Amino acid sequence: YAVTDTALVARSGAFHRTTAIVPHERTQGIRLYQGPLARRFGVAELQLATIAGPVAPVVHQMDLDEARALFLAQSDRAAVARKKKDTNHWLEEA
């Protein structure tokens, strides 16, 4: 994965590579997930909720501490980006 000023980029797949680019303001939710096997190995995955589409943005098999740090940082980046790019009031006069 990589984080830029405007988006989080997640690449996954061993044989079929997929790349998901999620602009920070389009992040609708974030989930830190750890199944029983992942818990045993101390890894987790970060799942980003966006609009429905062909690619599900997930950062797989991260160290648990790194996943927690990314979770907190991405939620902050998404909140700030949504405040800057608020398009909910598009009908109001300027």
Side-chain angles (χ1 to χ4, degrees), residues 6 25-27 33-34 42 46 48 70 77 80 88:
T6 58
E25 67 270 7
R26 299 291 182 210
T27 302
Y33 178 75
Q34 188 180 37
L46 186 77
L48 292 152
L70 180 60
R77 279 189 291 270
V80 168
N88 293 327

Side-chain angles (χ1 to χ4, degrees), residues 10-75:
R11 188 176 74 175
S12 64
F15 298 108
H16 178 70
R17 291 262 184 212
T18 58
T19 303
I21 302 170
V22 182
H24 297 311
E25 67 270 7
R26 299 291 182 210
T27 302
Q28 296 177 354
I30 305 171
R31 178 179 179 210
L32 189 61
Y33 178 75
Q34 188 180 37
L37 191 56
R39 193 172 301 121
R40 175 136 173 99
F41 289 107
V43 296
E45 63 183 36
L46 186 77
Q47 302 171 345
L48 292 152
T50 61
I51 58 171
V55 177
V58 178
V59 181
H60 294 283
Q61 298 180 352
M62 299 175 61
D63 177 68
L64 185 57
D65 292 333
E66 183 181 358
R68 286 180 182 149
L70 180 60
F71 176 88
L72 295 172
Q74 182 61 24
S75 62

